[in-house]
Structures are given as structure tokens and as C-alpha cells.
Amino acid sequence: MDAEAQDNDGSAARDPAARRRHPLLFRVAQAKLRPRWRLSEITVTEEPEIRRAVRAAALGNAMEWFDYGIYAYLAVTLGEVFYSGASEGTRTMLSLATFAISFAVRPLGGAFFGPLGDRVGRKQVLALTMILMATATFSIGLIPSYDTIGLWAPLLLIVARLMQGFSTGGEYGGAATFIAEYAPDKRRGYYGSFLEMGTLAGYIGASGLVLVLTAGIGEDAMASWGWRIPFLIGGPLGAIGLYLRLRLEETPAFVKSEAGRATVAEVTGGAEPVEAGKAEGKQAPGELRRIVAGQRQTMLLCIALVAAYNVANYMLLTYMPTYLTEVLDWPRAEQLAVVIATMVAMISVVTLVGRANDRVGRKPLLMIGMTGFLVVTAPAYVLVREGSVLAVFGGMLLLGGSLICLQGTMSATLPALFPTEIRYGSLAIGYNVSVAVFGGTTPAVIEGLVHVLDTPMAAAYYTMAFAVVGIVSVSLLTETAGLPLQGSPPAVATAAEAEEVVRMQRRNPL
């Protein structure tokens, strides 16, 4: 949005006489802020097409996070398998550090896949990330243990985790962009919440499989060979996800953006669309330096939001099983059962949160979630430390209630921060830089703080600190519920809605 246009529009609100003195100036300013759309320009995506696209993107996302979640729920066992040469107290730390190390390459994955998705399309890149993730996950199931090949075992594990991290760098930004660009403006929160339903479904599938295997073959067999089964299953699941994604059509917003760039190039005598974009003051798609330079403030806001969200997310969904095992000495079966029950409760309401943020706005739901973590995290950990199944489940439900407000809203909020031409690249870079520095390191950092500070409450304090960051970030957000995505025309679900948009413009002339 043009800063001058913003200033002029704001001046009219403060000084109505200014509009009377300079009517042409304010008409131009308002045209920049609220362009008039012809019926042919409005995107109409019918309900069956939207549902098919959202289903495929969400299912693919679930399979990606199934692959990723397996490691989190087998972290203690993998420490025994791949770091058996270390002392008993160090194995879990090394295993969690290996979990965190994959996040170091996620910004590289985002910097590669994101701009690529802005150049060649969302569909192709999402298929590629699925192939890489499935291959890396399957390969982990084939790596011999430390007792068999020594230091080669953890080294090969790290290579596979780096491959997973590079793949995931293009996943969330791409999937969120894909759904956001398909969804009608008035239902973007609802459809976006299916992406997080996929994330939770992937985690539930991973933890459920580990729970069933542990109950079926026992802890000893799991440590010996059973841990390989979930990783090996990741290969076939990846093939299914790839099939679903290859059947998708490219998003309407991307198709229209490409058509617009082609038209500009034609009008300018064959000049590259990149140069045309520069002439209009827009960022050139696919150019990393231009993305970062042109979106600096928005990128920082994205990083701060994602940091607060992911610290809470990884604290609850990936560190908590380790906390229950290491601090409370719970058997694996019990801690996984409580974690699964919490996620099932969350997944049952995530679409309700999506509908709610379409009605009342993204900011109120995000603020409830961030404030919730600031207020309830310490009491929740007190409940968890009490140790009984009921108390632990109650504490996790408190945390899950706050987290679901973020999960059901964030996937509609983040894509709306950036214009269509650079949306995938900007979101992939901002999201993954934040996750690499703050999110993926959360389990290892909390584990270290628990030992250094000698208090299990360190996890609560760490989460609460980032909740403050989240509250400040949300207060700086611009509300986007119900509005078209930047750089795209309005999106509606029916032709009748498109006609209503045009009629409303005629009723409210500039």
C-alpha cells in the first residue's frame, strides 16, 4: 500500500474540509487504496474446486508433518540408538540437538523453494518438497545403529535430518500460500485452518503409530528395531501425497499474476516482467535480495509472530513428550496417550477457530492466544508437575486452548502480509528464518534451561517470554479478514458474489 495514499486517506478522516478543497487528489488516493474491479477481474472459485485444492494441500501437509513428527516422538529412543557412545544423561540432549540441526537449513530451503514457487508456480514446488521429505524419512529407517557402524551412524542421521529440514523450508509457506490463494476472501480463515488440521493430523498419526508399536512389541523391541517402522512407512505415504499434489491445478491468484506480468512484458516490447515490476515500484518475483530489501518491516513482523507461535507450538507438541519422560519419568505409552488426547481435542475445534476469525477478525483470536500463553503457561506447568494423568491432561488442555487460537488463525494471517508476486518467497524466508532461530531450537533450549537453572519451570518462563513478543507483534498487525490478498483481485465462491462486489462499488463511488 502506497504510503502517500495512506497519508492522504487518513488526512481526509481528520480534516473533511481537505477533501472538498482537493477532490481530485483524494479520488486518486482512494483509488490506490480501494481499486475498482470489473466483473471479469474478480476471481470466482467454485466450492467443489476449493475443497479439492484444500483437501490435497492439507493431506500433503499432514504427511509431511507425520514424517517430521516421528523423530520428535522417538527422540529418547533415537538418542539410545545413534548416540549410545555418549553418557546416558547426554544422549537425549544430542538427539534433540540433531532434531534442532535440521532447522538450520530451513532458511536455505525457504530461500530456494520460495522464490522458485513465485517463478514456476506453487504446485510444482510443493510436489518437489514432498519427494525430498519422503526420501529423507525413508532413509533414516535404513541407517545402522552406532553400535554397528560407530560415528557414521549419527553423521548419516544428521545428513538425513538436514535433507528433511531443507524440504520443509518450502512446505509451510507453499501450502499456506496455496490455500490462501484458492480461498474466497470471506472464508480464508476457515479454509486456512484445514492446513493446521493437517499438521495436527500428521502429529497424531506419528505419535499414534509410535504408541501402538510400543504397546505391541515393547520398549526393548522398539529400541532394537521397532523404531525403524514409522520411518519406513514415510516412503509410501510420501508417494500418496505426491499423487495428490500432482493432481492439483495452479492457484487462480498465481495464474492471474503470471498473465499480468506477461501482458506487461508484451506492452513494453518484450521487456522482462521483472523490469516492469521495478518500474511500478514492486519487488521482482524470485529475486531474494529484492524480497528482503523491499519487505523489511513486514518480514520482521512475520519473524516475530512466527517466533512466538512456534515456541509455543514446539513446546507443547514436541518437547512435552520428552518433558514427561525425562522430568516426570512417565512410561512412553502414557505420555503419548496424553499428548494424542490433547491434539485430538485441538483438532476437533480448529475449524471453528477458522470460522471465528473470519467473522471477528484475525487480530482478536491471535491476541487471545498470545495472552493465553502469558497467563496460563505457569499454572499449566504447575498442574503438569503434579504428575497425575488428570492433572497433566488438564495442564496440556490449558496450553492447547491457547495454541489452537494461533493455529486456526495464523495460516490465514501470514500469507496476507505479502503481495502475490513475492508471497511464496517472502513467507518461506520469513517463516523459516524464525523457525530456525526460535522454533526448532525450542526443545533443546528448554531441555538445557531445565538443567542449567535446575527448575522444570524453565519451559514455562521461556514460553511466557515469547508470548510477550507475540502480544506486541499482534498489536502491530493490520487486520486482513475479509479483504483481498495484496496484489490480487477480490476472490469469491460464486458468480452471484462477484456481481455483488461490482454492485457495491457502484453504490459507493469514489
Side-chain angles (χ1 to χ4, degrees):
M1 186 178 293
D2 193 298
E4 181 182 354
Q6 283 182 304
D7 290 343
N8 289 331
D9 191 63
S11 298
R14 292 190 298 270
D15 184 7
R19 181 183 292 274
R20 294 191 295 271
R21 291 194 302 271
H22 307 287
L24 180 60
L25 174 63
F26 283 101
R27 285 174 66 87
V28 171
Q30 286 187 319
K32 289 184 178 182
L33 291 169
R34 292 183 292 277
R36 295 173 63 84
W37 302 102
R38 295 189 296 271
L39 186 61
S40 60
E41 295 174 320
I42 297 172
T43 300
V44 180
T45 310
E46 299 292 343
E47 186 79 7
E49 187 179 356
I50 298 170
R51 289 186 177 278
R52 185 167 59 251
V54 170
R55 187 184 306 117
L59 284 173
N61 193 58
M63 291 169 186
E64 284 263 357
W65 289 104
F66 171 86
D67 292 350
Y68 219 70
I70 289 169
Y71 190 103
Y73 296 114
L74 286 171
V76 176
T77 298
L78 294 176
E80 297 170 358
V81 172
F82 289 100
Y83 296 102
S84 57
S87 64
E88 186 173 350
T90 308
R91 292 173 189 170
T92 300
M93 279 291 296
L94 290 173
S95 180
L96 290 175
T98 303
F99 177 82
I101 200 172
S102 68
F103 288 81
V105 296
R106 282 185 61 164
L108 298 179
F112 175 77
F113 290 117
L116 183 64
D118 286 326
R119 289 198 302 273
V120 306
R122 287 57 163 130
K123 170 185 170 179
Q124 291 90 330
V125 174
L126 285 173
L128 180 56
T129 62
M130 178 63 69
I131 293 171
L132 290 177
M133 174 61 81
T135 301
T137 302
F138 186 81
S139 68
I140 291 177
L142 301 176
I143 301 174
S145 68
Y146 180 90
D147 292 337
T148 303
I149 60 172
L151 286 175
W152 282 106
L155 288 176
L156 290 173
L157 177 64
I158 289 171
V159 170
R161 286 291 298 162
L162 291 174
M163 187 174 174
Q164 281 187 320
F166 189 76
S167 158
T168 309
E171 173 58 30
Y172 182 89
T177 295
F178 195 90
I179 291 178
E181 291 182 348
Y182 253 107
D185 297 331
K186 292 182 179 179
R187 304 192 73 192
R188 190 171 297 117
Y190 170 67
Y191 285 116
S193 66
F194 281 91
L195 181 65
E196 298 302 340
M197 178 181 283
T199 301
L200 288 169
Y203 276 128
I204 290 170
S207 56
L209 180 57
V210 172
L211 175 60
V212 169
L213 285 173
T214 302
I217 65 177
E219 294 276 359
D220 292 339
M222 279 295 291
S224 176
W225 56 270
W227 64 269
R228 298 182 184 276
I229 296 175
F231 290 103
L232 296 176
I233 288 175
L237 286 180
I240 296 171
L242 178 62
Y243 170 74
L244 291 172
R245 287 187 168 178
L246 288 176
R247 294 184 64 204
L248 293 171
E249 297 295 331
E250 191 53 80
T251 69
F254 179 79
V255 171
K256 289 193 174 186
S257 176
E258 284 292 283
R261 287 203 293 268
T263 301
V264 169
E266 188 176 317
V267 169
T268 55
E272 290 293 326
V274 165
E275 296 300 314
K278 287 164 61 179
E280 295 174 5
K282 297 178 182 178
Q283 299 306 314
E287 294 192 8
L288 178 60
R289 184 168 58 185
R290 297 185 187 280
I291 287 174
V292 175
Q295 299 289 324
R296 188 176 294 111
Q297 291 183 343
T298 307
M299 191 76 75
L300 289 174
L301 181 59
C302 176
I303 289 171
L305 274 172
V306 173
Y309 165 48
N310 272 278
V311 165
N313 184 59
Y314 283 100
M315 177 275 295
L316 181 60
L317 300 184
T318 63
Y319 174 71
M320 190 59 75
T322 302
Y323 182 92
L324 295 176
T325 300
E326 295 287 298
V327 177
L328 300 183
D329 199 27
W330 271 34
R332 186 199 308 275
E334 289 185 17
Q335 52 103 334
L336 281 176
V338 172
V339 172
I340 291 171
T342 303
M343 289 191 291
V344 168
M346 292 170 63
I347 205 171
S348 67
V349 299
V350 64
T351 57
L352 298 179
V353 175
R355 290 182 188 274
N357 72 67
D358 279 330
R359 290 197 303 270
V360 304
R362 320 289 189 225
K363 291 184 67 171
L365 270 295
L366 291 174
M367 190 62 77
I368 290 171
M370 296 297 184
T371 305
F373 273 110
L374 180 63
V375 174
V376 308
T377 300
Y381 265 85
V382 171
L383 277 174
V384 170
R385 288 179 62 194
E386 197 276 329
S388 70
V389 173
L390 188 60
V392 171
F393 185 51
M396 293 188 68
L397 281 181
L398 284 175
L399 297 171
S402 297
L403 181 58
I404 203 63
C405 291
L406 306 181
Q407 282 191 319
T409 307
M410 200 67 74
S411 53
T413 301
L414 297 177
L417 293 174
F418 304 103
T420 300
E421 293 85 353
I422 55 170
R423 180 170 298 121
Y424 195 157
S426 300
L427 180 52
I429 293 166
Y431 187 90
N432 287 292
V433 165
S434 185
V435 171
V437 177
F438 304 107
T441 58
T442 294
V445 169
I446 290 177
E447 180 79 358
L449 289 173
V450 167
H451 289 289
V452 170
L453 301 178
D454 196 26
T455 172
M457 291 297 290
Y461 303 147
Y462 189 71
T463 306
M464 292 164 66
F466 276 90
V468 174
V469 174
I471 290 170
V472 174
S473 302
V474 172
S475 69
L476 297 175
L477 271 179
T478 299
E479 183 59 71
T480 59
L483 300 177
L485 294 169
Q486 289 186 57
S488 294
V492 297
T494 65
E497 288 184 57
E499 293 171 359
E500 179 62 22
V501 170
V502 174
R503 281 197 298 270
M504 290 300 295
Q505 290 181 140
R506 291 170 182 165
R507 292 174 191 167
N508 299 283
L510 293 176

